[in-house]
């Protein structure tokens, strides 16, 4: 059996972190088994459809590196569908659903329902008052099909419902939760076709998964209670039932389901802040799953090799931003410097530190700043605040301790000597940055902390930070002189 899995989001907004994890688990499982990972767009809820949501979704998936084998793709700004099981957008498959709902109506597994919203609301209120589970009361179950068809032809508003068998246990094996059994008495005669003629999720998902050859359905635990209804639909059509995998929710630190109210949850939010895709994917994989060796840093190929649903937790995984930052900082430290620089430049432009037209001219200079930042930032949006220390002539002292260092007896002469070396240097380059301290030590006998700390304090206002020889090169001759003079005037 060739494994075929699918990720089937609705275009109702951004790609949520939970959605990315589901897609990732689909991808890892399919690649490990030599199968196919399909992307399908479930856009039958037209009331919640968001313009450009599909394009944004495809862009986020491409950025993350979780790339599907079949489905819609973005090519030169246009959506193109690829694969032999299309269309992969549900609103383009309405003729298929119409054909299949007719089969269910003819076989008696579905029926027309003409109940108004007012009647349904009243029934639910009465059930609540009696302490019962709210569910459809079957008012239209026994209307003969021919009579129902005439009412439909006369323009009467209607939906089509699934006729659930009464008091029947539906049992299935879930790869995460084991054996699950639910009785149909706890379930509702689910609407399959809505009043607008569009299928509900519960109907379309079964038809599409069958026709696209899906072997394993991997989705969030919120769909667990719906699975018996889906199984009954498979049986009504005489189709093989796929295997089910229901993933635990992603939780916030308060152990509640992660939502927009709790901060950034969209993949786009993390992309905008400058999280590297490989870091986000690495971390998200571990929110609910752990490899046998409990490794924390893994490439995509390593995750494919190690992934198993046996190691997916039944309980929700906690999304810890501090842990994500740790993982991301690891990837920043290991990242190619040119790539990081290109990713950092837009933040510097946005914050007015460099101009758009000078980004190429200043690339190598920014690259030096980024190199010193690699060990110190957790996500790339932090580059602007970090880089500000290299702009301008003003020096702000970080603490009283810095002032004490600058007020040492030898510092005034030391800074004058340093300033003289800067003024007389042929070029302020890496060679100068490394040699200037040796020259001053040889001339004055000042060494160690007494040499390095006052110069660092005068140039940055801090006692600790990036390599001082790199700071010197980044600041350049003019700023070095102006900063020394500023410190002499204001602090010494």
């Amino acid at each position: 059996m060739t494994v075929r899995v699918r990720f089937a989001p609705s275009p109702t907004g951004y790609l949520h972190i939970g959605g990315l994890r589901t897609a990732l688990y689909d991808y890892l499982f399919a690649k490990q088994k030599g199968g196919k990972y399909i992307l399908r767009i479930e856009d039958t809820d037209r009331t919640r459809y968001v313009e450009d949501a599909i394009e944004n979704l495809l862009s986020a998936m491409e950025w993350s590196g979780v790339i599907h084998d079949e489905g819609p793709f973005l090519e030169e700004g246009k959506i193109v569908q690829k694969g032999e099981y299309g269309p992969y957008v549900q609103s383009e498959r309405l003729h298929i659903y119409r054909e299949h709902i007719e089969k269910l109506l003819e076989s008696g597994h579905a029926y027309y329902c003409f109940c108004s919203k007012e009647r349904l609301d009243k029934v639910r209120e009465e059930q609540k008052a009696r302490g019962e589970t709210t569910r459809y009361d079957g008012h239209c179950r026994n209307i003969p099909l021919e009579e129902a068809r005439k009412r439909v032809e006369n323009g009467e508003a209607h939906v089509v419902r699934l006729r659930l068998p009464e008091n029947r246990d539906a049992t299935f094996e879930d790869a995460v939760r084991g054996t699950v059994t639910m009785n149909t008495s706890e379930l509702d005669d689910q609407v399959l076709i809505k009043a607008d003629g569009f299928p509900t999720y519960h109907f379309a998902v079964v038809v599409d998964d069958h026709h696209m050859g899906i072997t394993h359905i991997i989705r969030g635990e919120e769909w667990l209670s719906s699975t018996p209804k889906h199984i009954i639909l498979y049986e009504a059509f005489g189709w093989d039932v796929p295997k089910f995998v229901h993933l635990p929710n992603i939780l916030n630190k308060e152990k509640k389901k992660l939502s927009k109210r709790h901060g950034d949850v969209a993949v786009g939010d993390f992309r905008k802040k400058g999280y590297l895709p490989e870091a986000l994917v690495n971390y998200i994989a571990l929110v609910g799953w752990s490899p046998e060796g409990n490794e924390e840093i893994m490439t995509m190929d390593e995750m494919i090799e190690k992934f198993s649903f046996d190691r997916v937790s039944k309980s929700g995984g906690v999304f810890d931003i501090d842990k994500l930052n740790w993982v991301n900082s690891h990837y920043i430290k290991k990242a190619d410097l040119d790539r990081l620089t290109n990713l950092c430049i837009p933040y510097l432009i946005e914050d007015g530190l460099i101009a758009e037209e000078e980004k190429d001219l200043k690339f190598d200079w920014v690259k030096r700043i980024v190199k010193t930042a690699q060990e110190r930032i957790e996500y790339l949006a932090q580059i602007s605040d970090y880089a500000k220390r290299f702009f301008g002539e003003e020096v702000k002292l970080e603490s009283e301790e810095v002032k004490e260092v600058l007020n040492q007896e030898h510092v005034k002469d030391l800074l004058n000597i340093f300033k003289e070396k800067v003024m007389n240097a042929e070029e302020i380059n890496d060679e100068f940055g490394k040699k200037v301290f040796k020259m001053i030590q040889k001339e004055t006998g000042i060494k160690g902390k007494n040499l390095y700390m006052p110069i660092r304090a005068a140039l940055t206002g801090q006692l600790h930070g990036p390599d001082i020889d790199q700071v010197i090169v980044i600041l350049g001759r003019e700023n070095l002189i102006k900063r020394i003079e500023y410190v002499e005037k204001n602090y010494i």
Side-chain angles (χ1 to χ4, degrees), residues 80-91:
V80 178
Q81 297 187 46
K82 297 180 182 179
E84 57 184 291
Y85 293 87
Y88 295 91
V89 178
Q90 283 187 336
S91 59

Side-chain angles (χ1 to χ4, degrees), residues 426-441:
E426 188 173 321
E427 188 179 352
I428 306 300
N429 54 18
D430 289 320
E431 186 181 0
F432 174 80
K434 290 172 183 174
K435 285 172 59 177
V436 64
F437 291 102
K438 291 180 181 177
M439 290 189 291
I440 294 173
Q441 180 180 330

Side-chain angles (χ1 to χ4, degrees), residues 163-305:
R163 190 190 305 274
L164 282 174
E166 294 182 14
N167 194 28
R168 179 197 143 178
D169 281 341
T171 300
F172 62 95
E173 291 297 319
D174 187 275
V176 173
R177 295 159 195 284
T179 303
V180 179
T181 299
M182 294 182 193
N183 192 280
T184 55
S185 63
E186 304 166 12
L187 305 174
D188 209 3
D189 277 5
Q190 180 69 51
V191 173
L192 302 179
I193 300 292
K194 295 176 287 187
D196 62 3
F198 277 79
T200 61
Y201 165 83
H202 301 281
F203 181 52
V205 73
V206 170
V207 173
D208 289 343
D209 284 341
H210 170 73
H211 284 290
M212 292 182 182
I214 302 303
T215 60
H216 296 72
I217 295 174
I218 303 165
R219 59 191 179 191
E221 66 181 359
E222 63 269 24
W223 299 112
L224 188 66
S225 62
S226 302
T227 303
K229 291 183 277 193
H230 299 171
I231 290 172
I232 288 166
L233 271 172
Y234 277 103
E235 292 174 350
F237 283 117
W239 297 337
D240 291 338
V241 180
K243 299 184 184 302
F244 291 96
V245 186
H246 288 92
L247 305 174
N249 286 324
I250 296 181
L251 309 175
N252 62 17
K253 286 186 177 181
E254 287 74 46
K255 303 294 179 70
K256 295 178 181 177
K257 187 176 178 181
L258 196 67
S259 74
K260 191 68 176 175
R261 294 191 305 277
H262 303 120
D264 296 332
V265 296
V267 173
D269 293 334
F270 293 97
R271 182 179 183 180
K272 189 175 180 181
K273 278 192 171 182
Y275 287 87
L276 300 181
E278 60 269 35
L280 185 61
V281 164
N282 185 161
Y283 176 69
I284 285 297
L286 300 173
V287 183
W289 167 74
S290 60
E292 280 192 22
N294 289 315
E295 295 90 344
E296 293 186 303
I297 302 297
M298 290 175 285
T299 64
M300 189 74 88
D301 286 343
E302 288 169 337
M303 288 189 283
I304 290 170
E305 181 186 345

Side-chain angles (χ1 to χ4, degrees), residues 55-106:
E55 289 85 349
N56 291 336
L57 167 76
L58 294 175
S59 176
M61 297 304 296
E62 183 178 352
W63 172 81
S64 72
V66 182
I67 309 298
H68 44 289
D69 299 297
E70 301 172 24
F73 293 83
L74 263 186
E75 291 187 356
E76 298 179 0
K78 294 182 179 179
I79 298 174
V80 178
Q81 297 187 46
K82 297 180 182 179
E84 57 184 291
Y85 293 87
Y88 295 91
V89 178
Q90 283 187 336
S91 59
E92 298 174 19
R93 299 172 62 84
L94 298 182
H95 62 289
I96 300 173
Y97 309 132
R98 282 194 288 269
E99 175 189 332
H100 284 77
I101 204 66
E102 280 301 316
K103 291 179 181 178
L104 292 181
L105 287 165
E106 290 291 340

